[in-house]
C-alpha cells in the first residue's frame, strides 16, 4: 500500500494534470500570465440584480489612442456553450452617438435585459451569446462610458475616425484576448450602423491584405438591420412607407413628392413645410414601431437626441424630430436603463467610468453635436466587400417607419445584383411565416414580420433564428417545420 505522502503526491499530480488539460481545452495554454491577469482584471463577477449564469463576462476599457487618452468601453460575453468553437460577433448600435450597451445589450440581444423593478435584470432566453461569443463596444468616444482626455476629439468625430478607432479597438482587444484570434469573426448592427459596420468591415478587409499573421483578423462577413445605407432611397422610402401605411394623407404625400428632391442636400421652403407636416405625425405615434404604444408615464420626457450637424441623411437630419430616440417594445424601458447604468455599484461591477466622466451615462450622447464626414451612400463599399467574398446579409423589421423595409428595398435595387432565389417566405418553428427573403448574387435580404426598428427587441425568437442561420451560412427555412 502506498504511503500517505505518496498518495498525496499522486493526488497533487492528478490535480495539476486535469487543470492543465482544462486550460489547454480553453485555448489559454499559450497565453502569458500578464495577459491572463489583464483578462481577470476585466472579469465581471456579478452585476447588481443579475441572475445566475454559467458563462463568463468581461468589461472595461481598451485604449485606441494613447497620446489623446482615447479609450472605448466594451462588454464581452462568452458563448453559453462550446466557447472555444463558437465564432466571435461584434454588435454596434448607431445614432450616431448611441450606446451599444444601452440598446444592443440591455434592450435587444444581450444576456441581461433591463426591466422595471427588482431584480433589475432578467436573463434573455434568446441572447445571441447562445450562438456566438458576443462583444459590445460603445463607439465612438463620447458615447456611453467611452471617453477621451482630449476634448477637441469630440469636435472631430465622423465616419472615418469612428471606423479607424473601432479597428484599433479590435486589434488591441485581440491582444488582451488572444484565444479568440483564430475564431471566425463577424460584425452586426442596426440603424446608423449601416454606416459603421460596412466602413469598419472595409478597414478590416483592406488592412488584412498587408498585416502580419499576429494582427490578421479572421473576418468572414457582416449583417445589418434597418440600416441607413443610401440617403436618396432611405428618405424616399420613408415617405412612401408612411403613405402606404396610412400615416400621412394624400395631400402631404403629394406635396412632398412634388416639392422635394432627396438627391440634393438643400431643400426648398415648400419641401421643408411638407416635411414638417410629415414629422408632426411622429409626435403622436412611434416612428420606430408603428403599431406599439408610446410611453405614457408622466414622469418620462420625450426622448430627443442632440441634433448632430453634418450627419447622414443630409436632408432629414436637419429636422429635430429625425433625432427622436427609439423606445422599444416597453416604451419606457430606456428610462430604467439610464437609472441602472448611472448607479455607482453597477459602474464599479462593470469597471466603468474609472475617470469620473463629468456627465451622466445616456443612451445617446448629448456631447456630439457635429459630424465631420458621412458619405451619402454605403453601396460602393458594400459592392466592394461582396466582390471580395464576404458574407453579407441585410434584414428589415417591417413595422419600422424610421428606416423602413421600403427604403431598404429601393436601396438594394440600386446595387443591380442578379437574383439567385426570388422573393419567398421563411418560416419559424411554429410553422408561421417569419418574413420574406430574396437571395441575390452575394447578398441575402430578409424581412422580419411584426418587428420595429430594433428587431431583437420586438421578435427575439425570430431574431435569434436569423443570427443562427447567418453565422452558419444557411438559408432560412422555406417550408414549415
Amino acid at each position: 500500500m502506498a504511503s500517505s505522502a505518496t498518495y498525496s503526491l499522486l493526488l497533487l499530480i492528478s490535480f495539476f494534470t486535469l487543470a492543465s488539460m482544462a486550460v489547454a481545452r480553453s485555448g489559454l495554454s499559450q497565453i502569458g500570465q500578464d495577459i491572463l491577469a489583464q483578462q481577470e482584471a476585466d472579469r465581471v463577477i456579478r452585476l447588481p440584480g443579475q441572475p445566475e449564469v454559467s458563462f463568463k463576462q468581461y468589461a472595461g476599457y481598451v485604449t485606441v489612442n494613447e497620446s489623446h487618452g482615447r479609450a472605448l468601453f466594451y462588454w464581452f460575453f462568452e458563448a453559453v456553450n462550446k466557447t472555444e468553437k463558437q465564432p466571435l460577433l461584434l454588435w454596434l448600435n448607431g445614432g450616431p452617438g448611441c450606446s451599444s450597451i444601452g440598446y444592443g445589450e440591455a434592450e435587444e440581444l444581450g444576456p441581461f435585459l433591463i426591466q422595471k423593478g427588482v431584480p433589475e435584470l432578467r436573463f434573455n432566453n434568446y441572447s445571441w451569446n447562445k450562438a456566438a461569443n458576443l462583444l459590445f463596444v460603445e463607439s465612438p468616444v463620447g458615447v456611453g462610458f467611452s471617453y477621451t482626455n482630449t476634448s477637441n476629439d469630440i469636435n472631430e468625430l465622423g465616419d472615418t475616425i469612428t471606423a479607424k478607432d473601432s479597428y484599433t479597438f479590435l486589434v488591441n482587444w485581440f491582444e488582451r484576448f488572444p484565444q479568440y484570434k483564430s475564431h471566425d469573426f463577424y460584425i452586426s448592427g442596426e440603424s446608423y450602423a449601416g454606416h459603421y459596420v460596412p466602413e469598419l468591415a472595409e478597414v478590416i478587409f483592406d488592412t488584412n491584405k498587408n498585416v502580419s499573421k499576429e494582427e490578421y483578423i479572421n473576418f468572414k462577413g457582416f449583417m445589418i438591420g434597418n440600416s441607413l445605407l443610401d440617403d436618396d432611397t432611405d428618405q424616399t422610402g420613408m415617405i412612401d412607407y408612411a403613405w402606404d401605411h396610412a400615416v400621412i394623407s394624400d395631400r402631404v404625400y403629394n406635396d412632398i413628392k412634388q416639392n422635394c428632391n432627396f438627391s440634393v442636400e438643400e431643400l426648398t421652403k415648400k419641401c421643408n413645410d411638407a416635411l414638417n407636416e410629415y414629422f408632426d405625425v411622429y409626435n403622436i405615434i412611434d416612428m420606430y414601431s408603428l403599431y406599439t404604444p408610446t410611453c405614457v408615464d408622466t414622469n418620462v420626457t420625450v426622448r430627443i437626441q442632440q441634433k448632430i450637424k453634418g450627419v447622414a441623411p443630409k436632408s432629414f437630419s436637419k429636422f429635430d424630430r429625425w433625432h427622436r430616440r427609439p423606445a422599444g417594445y416597453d416604451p419606457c424601458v430606456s428610462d430604467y436603463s439610464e437609472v441602472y447604468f448611472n448607479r455607482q455599484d453597477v459602474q464599479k461591477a462593470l469597471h466603468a467610468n474609472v475617470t469620473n466622466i463629468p456627465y451622466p451615462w445616456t443612451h445617446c450622447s448629448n456631447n456630439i453635436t457635429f459630424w465631420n464626414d458621412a458619405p451619402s451612400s454605403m453601396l460602393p463599399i458594400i459592392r466592394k466587400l461582396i466582390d471580395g467574398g464576404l458574407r453579407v446579409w441585410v434584414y428589415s423589421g417591417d413595422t419600422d417607419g424610421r428606416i423602413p423595409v421600403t427604403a431598404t428595398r429601393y436601396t438594394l435595387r440600386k446595387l443591380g445584383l442578379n437574383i439567385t432565389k426570388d422573393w419567398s417566405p421563411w418560416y419559424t418553428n411554429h410553422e408561421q411565416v417569419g418574413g420574406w427573403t430574396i437571395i441575390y448574387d452575394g447578398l441575402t435580404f430578409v424581412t422580419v414580420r411584426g418587428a420595429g426598428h430594433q428587431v431583437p427587441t420586438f421578435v427575439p425568437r425570430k431574431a435569434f433564428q436569423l443570427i443562427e442561420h447567418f453565422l452558419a451560412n444557411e438559408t432560412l427555412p422555406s417550408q414549415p417545420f
Side-chain angles (χ1 to χ4, degrees), residues 363-409:
H363 282 78
C364 299
S365 173
N366 292 319
N367 301 306
I368 301 172
T369 59
F370 182 75
W371 203 252
N372 272 292
D373 63 301
S376 61
S377 180
M378 291 292 103
L379 296 185
I381 295 178
I382 290 175
R383 165 67 82 172
K384 170 184 174 180
L385 298 175
I386 289 173
D387 292 343
L390 292 177
R391 187 182 314 159
V392 179
W393 282 31
V394 177
Y395 66 90
S396 185
D398 63 10
T399 67
D400 175 27
R402 176 63 181 270
I403 306 174
V405 61
T406 308
T408 303
R409 293 176 77 179

Side-chain angles (χ1 to χ4, degrees), residues 195 228-240 257 260-265 267 312-316 375-379 404 406-408 410-411 414:
H195 279 225
L228 194 74
L229 294 173
D230 184 88
D231 283 8
D232 185 12
T233 49
D234 284 340
Q235 292 169 132
T236 299
M238 285 180 68
I239 302 304
D240 290 354
K257 286 296 183 179
C260 296
N261 178 3
F262 296 131
S263 63
V264 298
E265 184 174 342
L267 303 178
K314 295 296 192 297
S315 300
F316 277 18
S376 61
S377 180
M378 291 292 103
L379 296 185
T406 308
T408 303
Y410 289 164
T411 298
K414 287 177 74 172

Side-chain angles (χ1 to χ4, degrees), residues 10-247:
L10 289 171
L11 281 176
L12 190 62
I13 292 172
S14 176
F15 170 79
F16 279 112
T17 300
L18 290 172
S20 298
M21 290 171 63
V23 169
R25 283 195 301 269
S26 67
L28 301 179
S29 58
Q30 304 301 317
I31 299 176
Q33 291 301 312
D34 56 335
I35 293 177
L36 291 174
Q38 289 179 13
Q39 292 183 16
E40 191 59 30
D42 284 359
R43 175 89 180 273
V44 177
I45 304 303
R46 190 169 183 179
L47 291 162
Q50 176 200 307
E52 291 281 357
V53 292
S54 59
F55 53 85
K56 293 181 180 179
Q57 56 176 318
Y58 302 83
Y61 287 95
V62 172
T63 299
V64 296
N65 187 306
E66 290 190 11
S67 62
H68 284 223
R70 287 207 302 269
L72 299 183
F73 180 78
Y74 81 91
W75 195 355
F76 171 64
F77 301 90
E78 288 186 347
V80 172
N81 294 305
K82 300 179 180 179
T83 299
E84 68 281 359
K85 294 183 179 180
Q86 301 286 11
L88 174 65
L89 176 67
L90 170 67
W91 173 269
L92 299 172
N93 277 89
C98 293
S99 167
S100 301
I101 302 299
Y103 286 118
E105 195 294 314
E107 297 175 24
E108 297 186 66
L109 56 106
F112 306 128
L113 300 181
I114 296 287
Q115 63 181 2
K116 186 177 183 179
V118 178
E120 299 90 350
L121 302 179
R122 63 180 175 87
F123 183 70
N124 178 9
N125 289 322
Y126 300 102
S127 173
W128 285 16
N129 78 321
K130 289 187 173 183
N133 297 286
L134 187 57
L135 177 60
F136 299 91
V137 60
E138 293 188 306
S139 176
V141 292
V143 174
F145 294 123
S146 296
Y147 68 88
T148 176
N149 293 329
T150 306
S151 58
N152 194 52
D153 283 350
I154 302 298
N155 300 321
E156 296 179 354
L157 293 176
D159 282 18
T160 301
I161 194 169
T162 300
K164 288 181 178 178
D165 275 1
S166 295
Y167 176 77
T168 303
F169 165 84
L170 283 174
V171 170
N172 292 343
W173 188 88
F174 278 120
E175 287 185 0
R176 190 174 304 178
F177 291 89
Q179 64 265 40
Y180 293 99
K181 280 185 178 180
S182 62
H183 289 226
D184 288 349
F185 176 66
Y186 299 89
I187 315 173
S188 189
E190 69 192 8
S191 196
Y192 200 82
H195 279 225
Y196 288 165
V197 172
E199 288 167 335
L200 173 57
E202 183 182 36
V203 174
I204 297 171
F205 179 78
D206 289 344
T207 309
N208 265 353
K209 297 174 183 177
N210 301 304
V211 297
S212 64
K213 182 180 178 181
E214 287 71 26
E215 289 193 356
Y216 184 87
I217 295 175
N218 195 22
F219 184 44
K220 298 298 183 181
F222 61 90
M223 181 174 75
I224 41 179
N226 292 82
S227 48
L228 194 74
L229 294 173
D230 184 88
D231 283 8
D232 185 12
T233 49
D234 284 340
Q235 292 169 132
T236 299
M238 285 180 68
I239 302 304
D240 290 354
Y241 181 89
W243 178 82
D244 192 55
H245 285 71
V247 172

